[in-house]
Amino acid sequence: MHRAVPRVDAAGVTGEIANVTYHELMATRTVAFLGLGAIGRPMAARLAHAPGITLAVWNRTAERAQSFGREHGARVAATPADAARSAGVVITCLPVSADVEALLDGDAGLLATMASGTTLVDCTSGDPATSRRIAARLAERSIGYLDAPVSGGTSGAEQGTLTVMVGGDAALLDRVRPLLETFGKKIVHCGPVGAGDALKSVNNALLAVNVWSTGEGLAALARAGVRPDVALDVINASSGRSNASMNLFPERVLTREFPRTFRLALLDKDVGIAAGVAREQKVPSPLLQLTAELFRMAHVELGEEADHVEAVKLIERWAGQEIA
Ligand code: NDP
């Protein structure tokens, strides 16, 4: 029977969700989280400490899951299938959609234990085509799927202020929304499956454009005798400002700290997805295609572990000019 039931989130009872059965609501409280990387780990930690949620975690490198379990008190699962056993909602946060797809099959895979009526929420910054393929496979077993990539960085995950971009059935989103609210502040339904992935990729392509163009501009200005801190002071009071100029360059480039919070390899992947979306939609996109090429080069030059802002080091190398 469907009826209005209290909606409970990390802050307590906050309202009602119409047309959700009590059973359905309770099912969304048993959660499996797979992928405890730079951003997955603090997201899972928010879930672990939310009232009323029972959490199981799985990570490819088991030691990371074990240390998470010790720190946050979640059940540590041996395999994806073990994590998903009795879970109403499975959340994944892996580098690329293909990694999620590879977790579905086999005795240790998610499909071995995910029951009909459960939901897979993929917080990977994924690609729309693979998300649609995963959703179709799950639908054959009456398992729901939402692509739900996030923005806001590792600090946003720690503080529970991420933006979550969701593609898929809006009613399904309503059902899992209280879970997403444990780590997200702004949760937006973007359209059908794949829409969240597409929007996320374009957002990150804009980040990449700003990092690269600000780097080129500041290198040129430094060669022309303008100090980067002076240039940023003016740009940030003017129309050329961006998150790159206001936060990333002052905090990470000028200080030469380059903290590793979001791998360049992942931004390369995101810009590649955005360039692919534009090509697929037959939208002329020379700037997106060029940015994808530049970030592919930076990734190859600087390696798997470099942070995304370190792409600026390639500009500095080419220019023979440090931005400091
Ligand atoms: P990391 O590289 O820090 O972590 C990746 C995680 O995925 C690790 O837990 C890793 O396990 C696991 N993993 C990698 N490959 C596989 C595989 N083939 N099979 C199973 N597990 C695998 O990535 P992030 O946490 O930074 O990023 C995760 C996703 O979130 C990406 O799509 C990224 O684009 C997105 N994102 C990241 C942000 C950030 O600030 N970091 C911000 C917004 C989105 P192991 O421990 O064994 O290596």
Side-chain angles (χ1 to χ4, degrees):
M1 188 183 84
H2 283 77
R3 58 193 160 89
V5 293
R7 171 173 140 191
V8 185
D9 65 12
V13 178
T14 57
E16 292 190 334
I17 307 171
N19 297 325
V20 177
T21 64
Y22 185 72
H23 173 75
E24 284 169 340
L25 184 73
M26 293 314 288
T28 62
R29 307 271 192 82
T30 311
V31 182
F33 198 105
L34 287 75
L36 302 170
I39 198 146
R41 188 181 180 98
M43 288 165 69
R46 300 282 310 179
L47 282 161
H49 295 287
I53 289 174
T54 305
L55 183 68
V57 294
W58 175 83
N59 192 66
R60 181 181 62 177
T61 304
E63 165 48 31
R64 295 203 174 112
Q66 281 149 8
S67 85
F68 182 94
R70 282 193 298 275
E71 198 177 325
H72 301 289
R75 178 171 77 85
V76 178
T79 61
D82 180 26
R85 200 183 308 282
S86 78
V89 179
V90 174
I91 302 178
T92 42
C93 190
L94 304 181
V96 300
S97 296
D99 297 330
V100 178
E101 196 172 29
L103 293 191
L104 296 180
D105 295 309
D107 291 346
L110 289 171
L111 293 179
T113 53
M114 281 186 82
S116 92
T118 61
T119 304
L120 175 62
V121 178
D122 185 18
C123 291
T124 303
S125 299
D127 70 89
T130 309
S131 278
R132 287 192 291 267
R133 203 162 58 229
I134 294 172
R137 283 204 61 201
L138 297 182
E140 289 167 9
R141 296 168 179 244
S142 302
I143 298 170
Y145 176 85
L146 298 169
D147 49 305
V150 301
S151 67
T154 51
S155 61
E158 282 157 17
Q159 289 153 24
T161 57
L162 293 174
T163 296
V164 190
M165 294 152 250
V166 186
D169 180 50
L172 194 54
L173 167 59
D174 276 345
R175 225 175 293 163
V176 301
R177 189 181 285 270
L179 295 180
L180 306 186
E181 284 174 344
T182 63
F183 49 75
K185 190 171 170 196
K186 188 177 176 74
I187 294 153
V188 182
H189 183 245
C190 304
V193 170
D197 288 336
L199 177 45
K200 168 69 189 178
S201 73
V202 169
N203 176 74
N204 277 24
L206 299 181
L207 160 69
V209 166
N210 283 321
V211 166
W212 198 275
S213 56
T214 305
E216 287 186 358
L218 291 185
L221 285 169
R223 291 278 286 271
V226 182
R227 276 178 23 207
D229 58 333
V230 172
L232 284 173
D233 188 34
V234 171
I235 289 165
N236 288 336
S238 309
S239 49
R241 67 180 177 268
S242 64
N243 179 53
S245 69
M246 295 179 79
N247 297 308
L248 299 178
F249 275 74
E251 292 167 12
R252 299 174 177 220
V253 180
L254 269 58
T255 60
R256 310 310 290 172
E257 283 180 9
F258 294 105
R260 292 186 162 175
T261 60
F262 175 45
R263 292 189 298 124
L264 174 60
L266 295 173
L267 186 56
D268 169 25
K269 172 259 305 180
D270 291 334
V271 190
I273 292 170
V277 168
R279 283 196 305 274
E280 192 182 301
Q281 298 305 325
K282 302 201 173 3
V283 170
S285 54
L287 186 53
L288 284 182
Q289 306 304 324
L290 175 60
T291 307
E293 182 79 8
L294 290 168
F295 276 79
R296 199 154 43 239
M297 290 166 78
H299 175 185
V300 168
E301 285 293 315
L302 299 164
E304 289 306 310
E305 296 310 318
D307 185 72
H308 66 302
V309 180
E310 291 182 78
V312 171
K313 290 181 179 172
L314 190 58
I315 298 170
E316 292 178 329
R317 203 184 288 168
W318 288 348
Q321 174 66 54
E322 202 170 85
I323 301 167

